[in-house]
Amino acid sequence: MAEASDTELVSNEEVTTTPTGRRRRKKSIVWEHFTIEAVAGGCTRACCKLCKQTFAYSSGSKIAGTSHLKRHITLGSCPKIKDQERKHLALTSGTKTDGDMSDPPPKRRYRISGFANASFDHDRSIRELAKMIIVHDYPLHIVEHPGFLSFIESLQPRLKMVDVNAIEGEVLAVYQSEKQNLMQVLGTIPGRISLTIGLWTTSQTLGYVSLAGQFIDNDWKLHRRMLNFLMVSSPHSENALSEAIGFSLSDWNLKTKLFTITLDNNCSSHDIYSANLRDHLSNKNALTLKGQLFVVRCYGHILNVVAQDIIASIHGIIYNIRESVKFVKASPAREERFAEVALHLEIPSTKTLSLDVTTQWNTTYLMLLAALEYKQAFTVLETCDDHYNEAPSSDDWKKVETVCIFLKLLYDSANVIISTPEPTSNIFFHEVWKILLELSNAISSEDAVVSGIAKEMHEKFDKYWKDCNLVLAIAVVMDPRFKMRLVEFSFSKIYGADSARYVKLVDDSIHELYQEYVAQPLPLTPAYVEQGEMNNINVTENNATESNATENNDNNNNNQPTTPIPTGDGLLDFDLYLSEMAINQPTKSELEQYLEESLLPRIQEFDILNWWKLNTIKYPTLSKMARDVLAIPISMASTSSSIFGTGAGNRVLDEYRSLLRPETVQALFCAKDWLQYLPTGVEPPSSAVVKMEI
């Protein structure tokens, strides 16, 4: 290494004296291995504690630095350290330390400047360990695992590992800290909040209810946060569900902010409308539209239920296809043979055979889709391989083809939701009515298989449509690309001659909902001064200011002549004319203006929340309504895996967490959700320099 590089590594913290003459404590790690000895001429030398070799350190006021001392202890220059390393290597590798043993090849060493003097914070390390356990679902007992303890000791011997009870307490402390942060956020949201309710079961007779809140913040960004994860004795009972919702609203001070509740299909709407839940709600929080929007059924769940029913209708054929794929992928030789058959048949498919995950219906669809393109190859393979006899028949393949057509409807709809960064409620109307229309047309098919599957699917989607079409329609009306026009068009396709009656129901409901926002501004919303009110306030303040100024002038300048106050631009008569016009021709409401304006172009990248953000001044009241409506969680699914899952009925708490205390389970689930929105790590100091030596 060149001397210039060594000089770069000298730290000011290693200097023993300051310009004022006061001595500074040495923090460099080298002083754990060296002592300073005075020599003649006012100089000092650093003496290695192990090999007693000395090195120049200071000459008068000139400091030599510690770079050469670091090399002595880190690069194997010290014979004592080198001997200890060789003995340790011999013990771990089982070789002898005689002269015949050759030295191992040099290893890459990393020299880091900027971290050596960093202080060790034991409490912070334990706190970060608790966060790691929360975020990655590690068991609390990891603090007792020998392998983990050895790993920690190799990183930082000074870290004294805590026991299970202590780390559990640290997890609860993280939960409480993050809860306070979220409480502050929820206290500033300008609109209402909608809840999603999920049910969990355990290996015991107890269960849990998970409650998450979805809202749009002041910057018009959509958020969903876990609020509570509560243990209940009977999660499916009416009282338990009502009490859990009531407790969560009180716990987070949201009694006056609740807008809607989204449930999976396993929950009945009468649970939500029970008297117990109404008692928990504040009298100020009257349900909008007499409760017509209060309960929303999860769209992701209906997709899962219908998809599972379709798959179950041909479970025998799917079993044969699954076994066929297993046979081909059992060995490279079989895969090669199958590829040769496909090549001989000139099958143009670029898809790859894959096995499905039985709990994820999208993987089953993709497995069937790929196998369908190789159906001829499977038939030929059965004739030339005596070990294979699982090929589906031609009739079976026809059924698979039909099933794939219907699964594609569900698969494409689910992917629309997944691909939307902020799945606001307006996107779901399109998905439901398109599928419903496709199924209505398929029922009249002459193919018995097609009509049979379509009829079963239509029954479930039609029930979902009847329960949720109003909230879906109101949500899409808040989309300036569609408004009432899409409702009118889609209803004409679904209801035919009766469509006008259903369109009127939606139109009346929207106007009624808007009037509720006009008549009763939400107390939870920060005071919003509309443009007209602001003008009145400004005029009042200006008049008061001018009046005070006039009084002061009269009192202080009685002997001075007063200057006439200007009367404006001389258009007072024009202002009176405008006022009379306003009285004779009342202005239209914000809702009417919005609905009468032309539709925006349908662009794929349209950001509806940003549009409403930019038009808040133009529609101050309607934007409040849009904020709450667009935040309704039509689907409870938050990840691609959950929306393709088998449904809420399979949400089972694992054996380990089932045995934890309920407050600990809640802390683990909620804090994991909250921590994902925090920075993932701390940036290293900018002064750190990492150098590699060979």
Side-chain angles (χ1 to χ4, degrees):
M1 276 290 188
E3 283 297 320
S5 299
D6 296 339
T7 304
E8 292 174 0
L9 297 174
V10 177
S11 172
N12 291 333
E13 293 179 340
E14 296 166 354
V15 178
T16 58
T17 61
T18 64
T20 59
R22 292 180 299 176
R23 301 187 65 83
R24 180 183 297 174
R25 183 174 62 86
K26 299 179 178 62
K27 298 180 180 180
S28 177
I29 193 173
V30 300
W31 301 117
E32 296 180 8
H33 302 272
F34 288 88
T35 59
I36 296 178
E37 297 179 354
V39 295
C43 301
T44 59
R45 294 183 67 82
C47 179
C48 178
K49 296 179 181 180
L50 295 176
C51 67
K52 304 305 180 181
Q53 185 177 352
T54 63
F55 302 85
Y57 181 63
S58 69
S59 176
S61 60
K62 184 178 180 181
I63 303 298
T66 59
S67 299
H68 57 307
L69 305 182
K70 291 178 181 177
R71 289 198 300 270
H72 179 72
I73 62 176
T74 60
L75 300 183
S77 300
C78 178
K80 293 290 186 181
I81 294 179
K82 188 174 182 179
D83 185 59
Q84 291 176 0
E85 291 179 349
R86 293 184 63 177
K87 290 181 179 179
H88 177 73
L89 179 62
L91 291 175
T92 56
S93 62
T95 58
K96 297 181 180 181
T97 59
D98 54 22
D100 295 334
M101 188 188 76
S102 60
D103 293 336
K107 298 181 179 179
R108 294 185 176 183
R109 290 184 172 88
Y110 296 87
R111 198 188 318 174
I112 303 176
S113 173
F115 291 98
N117 297 323
S119 59
F120 169 63
D121 190 336
H122 184 274
D123 293 339
R124 179 187 174 187
S125 298
I126 297 301
R127 191 183 316 118
E128 293 300 323
L129 173 60
K131 292 181 179 179
M132 181 189 75
I133 290 174
I134 293 170
V135 172
H136 298 288
D137 295 326
Y138 295 138
L140 298 176
H141 286 77
I142 193 175
V143 297
E144 297 178 348
H145 294 174
F148 179 73
L149 294 175
S150 299
F151 173 68
I152 293 299
E153 185 178 4
S154 69
L155 295 178
Q156 180 51 267
R158 287 185 288 174
L159 177 61
K160 303 301 180 183
M161 187 54 60
V162 297
D163 59 15
V164 174
N165 292 331
I167 200 64
E168 183 179 15
E170 195 65 38
V171 167
L172 293 173
V174 171
Y175 163 77
Q176 289 296 340
S177 175
E178 297 302 325
K179 181 177 181 180
Q180 291 303 316
N181 295 336
L182 183 57
M183 284 279 286
Q184 295 179 5
V185 173
L186 294 179
T188 62
I189 60 175
R192 297 199 179 196
I193 191 169
S194 294
L195 298 181
T196 63
I197 314 297
L199 305 181
W200 292 70
T201 59
T202 66
S203 56
Q204 305 167 340
T205 57
L206 300 174
Y208 282 84
V209 175
S210 63
L211 301 99
Q214 186 157 302
F215 59 93
I216 295 175
D217 64 13
N218 286 286
D219 198 36
W220 284 87
K221 298 297 182 183
L222 184 67
H223 301 274
R224 182 183 295 187
R225 296 291 187 273
M226 181 77 76
L227 300 181
N228 290 97
F229 198 85
L230 304 173
M231 187 190 73
V232 292
S233 57
S234 302
H236 292 275
S237 69
E238 174 183 346
N239 291 338
L241 195 59
S242 300
E243 291 174 0
I245 296 172
F247 173 82
S248 185
L249 294 176
S250 299
D251 187 33
W252 291 92
N253 298 324
L254 297 174
K255 281 187 175 182
T256 60
K257 295 187 177 184
L258 180 61
F259 191 56
T260 65
I261 294 177
T262 302
L263 305 167
D264 58 52
N265 287 12
N266 290 338
C267 297
S268 301
S269 58
H270 71 271
D271 293 343
I272 303 302
Y273 284 112
S274 65
N276 290 337
L277 180 58
R278 288 183 179 274
D279 292 340
H280 286 298
L281 298 177
S282 170
N283 292 330
K284 298 179 181 179
N285 190 67
L287 300 181
T288 55
L289 287 181
K290 302 180 180 62
Q292 294 182 75
L293 307 180
F294 192 47
V295 174
V296 181
R297 291 174 60 192
C298 175
Y299 180 62
H301 187 90
I302 190 68
L303 290 178
N304 294 332
V305 170
V306 174
Q308 291 298 327
D309 288 346
I310 296 175
I311 291 173
S313 66
I314 59 167
H315 68 278
I317 302 174
I318 293 178
Y319 173 82
N320 287 343
I321 293 176
R322 188 180 292 125
E323 292 300 314
S324 298
V325 175
K326 286 181 182 179
F327 179 85
V328 171
K329 300 181 72 68
S331 67
R334 289 180 179 177
E335 286 188 288
E336 184 177 354
R337 184 181 182 87
F338 186 79
E340 292 175 354
V341 173
L343 183 62
H344 177 72
L345 295 173
E346 297 181 351
I347 297 176
S349 176
T350 58
K351 292 184 174 62
T352 303
L353 293 178
S354 61
L355 286 171
D356 64 334
V357 179
T358 56
T359 57
Q360 301 293 323
W361 63 265
N362 61 312
T363 63
T364 303
Y365 164 66
L366 295 176
M367 179 186 72
L368 297 178
L369 203 62
L372 191 61
E373 297 195 7
Y374 290 100
K375 59 182 180 180
Q376 292 180 337
F378 283 112
T379 302
V380 173
L381 183 64
E382 189 174 37
T383 62
C384 61
D385 193 325
D386 295 336
H387 298 91
Y388 173 65
N389 56 1
E390 301 287 351
S393 65
S394 58
D395 290 339
D396 291 341
W397 285 118
K398 289 181 181 180
K399 292 180 181 179
V400 171
E401 188 173 355
T402 300
V403 163
C404 284
I405 292 175
F406 288 108
L407 286 178
K408 186 179 187 301
L409 288 175
L410 310 180
Y411 181 78
D412 291 345
S413 182
N415 277 314
V416 168
I417 300 171
I418 296 171
S419 61
T420 305
E422 293 184 322
T424 46
S425 58
N426 60 296
I427 69 172
F428 292 88
F429 181 86
H430 313 276
E431 304 308 315
V432 180
W433 87 265
K434 285 188 298 184
I435 292 180
L436 192 64
L437 183 61
E438 291 285 349
L439 296 178
S440 298
N441 296 332
I443 290 178
S444 59
S445 173
E446 297 180 357
D447 190 320
V449 176
V450 172
S451 60
I453 295 177
K455 185 177 181 180
E456 293 182 4
M457 292 178 63
H458 187 272
E459 289 179 359
K460 290 183 172 60
F461 266 94
D462 187 56
K463 185 178 187 306
Y464 181 84
W465 175 258
K466 290 178 180 177
D467 289 342
C468 301
N469 75 84
L470 181 59
V471 66
L472 295 175
I474 292 177
V476 82
V477 171
M478 293 296 99
D479 190 331
R481 297 171 298 173
F482 301 105
K483 303 182 183 180
M484 283 296 297
R485 295 292 183 266
L486 183 61
V487 175
E488 295 165 358
F489 174 78
S490 58
F491 279 21
S492 66
K493 298 288 185 180
I494 296 174
Y495 299 112
D498 295 334
S499 62
R501 179 166 60 94
Y502 292 99
V503 170
K504 186 177 185 304
L505 289 175
V506 174
D507 188 68
D508 291 345
S509 298
I510 291 175
H511 281 80
E512 183 180 348
L513 179 61
Y514 172 74
Q515 289 303 320
E516 291 183 15
Y517 278 82
V518 172
Q520 299 178 0
L522 300 180
L524 59 100
T525 306
Y528 183 88
V529 182
E530 297 186 6
Q531 192 171 10
E533 296 174 355
M534 179 64 76
N535 293 335
N536 293 336
I537 292 175
N538 291 338
V539 170
T540 303
E541 291 177 350
N542 292 337
N543 291 339
T545 302
E546 292 173 359
S547 177
N548 292 336
T550 303
E551 292 177 1
N552 292 335
N553 290 334
D554 291 342
N555 294 334
N556 299 330
N557 304 306
N558 291 328
N559 298 327
Q560 298 180 2
T562 59
T563 302
I565 300 175
T567 57
D569 55 5
L571 293 176
L572 293 179
D573 292 342
F574 178 66
D575 293 336
L576 293 175
Y577 169 75
L578 293 179
S579 300
E580 293 176 358
M581 290 291 294
I583 296 174
N584 297 330
Q585 298 179 1
T587 58
K588 297 179 180 179
S589 68
E590 294 176 21
L591 178 59
E592 291 172 336
Q593 293 180 43
Y594 168 77
L595 294 177
E596 291 179 3
E597 287 182 350
S598 301
L599 301 181
L600 294 183
R602 294 196 311 275
I603 56 175
Q604 194 69 23
E605 299 79 13
F606 179 70
D607 187 343
I608 187 172
L609 295 183
N610 187 59
W611 187 90
W612 278 104
K613 177 183 178 181
L614 298 176
N615 286 271
T616 300
I617 296 178
K618 183 177 181 180
Y619 303 115
T621 301
L622 187 61
S623 64
K624 295 180 183 179
M625 173 176 152
R627 186 195 302 270
D628 293 340
V629 170
L630 294 175
I632 297 175
I634 305 298
S635 174
M636 298 171 58
S638 57
T639 61
S640 59
S641 60
S642 58
I643 200 170
F644 290 119
T646 53
N650 281 8
R651 286 201 294 261
V652 181
L653 205 63
D654 60 65
E655 192 70 25
Y656 177 78
R657 283 175 171 74
S658 297
L659 300 177
L660 295 176
R661 295 189 302 165
E663 56 267 30
T664 303
V665 175
Q666 175 168 249
L668 291 171
F669 271 84
C670 293
K672 178 181 179 180
D673 177 74
W674 303 336
L675 289 175
Q676 68 177 308
Y677 302 104
L678 300 178
T680 56
V682 179
E683 292 294 331
S686 58
S687 60
V689 178
V690 180
K691 295 190 176 183
M692 183 179 70
E693 295 180 352
I694 304 297

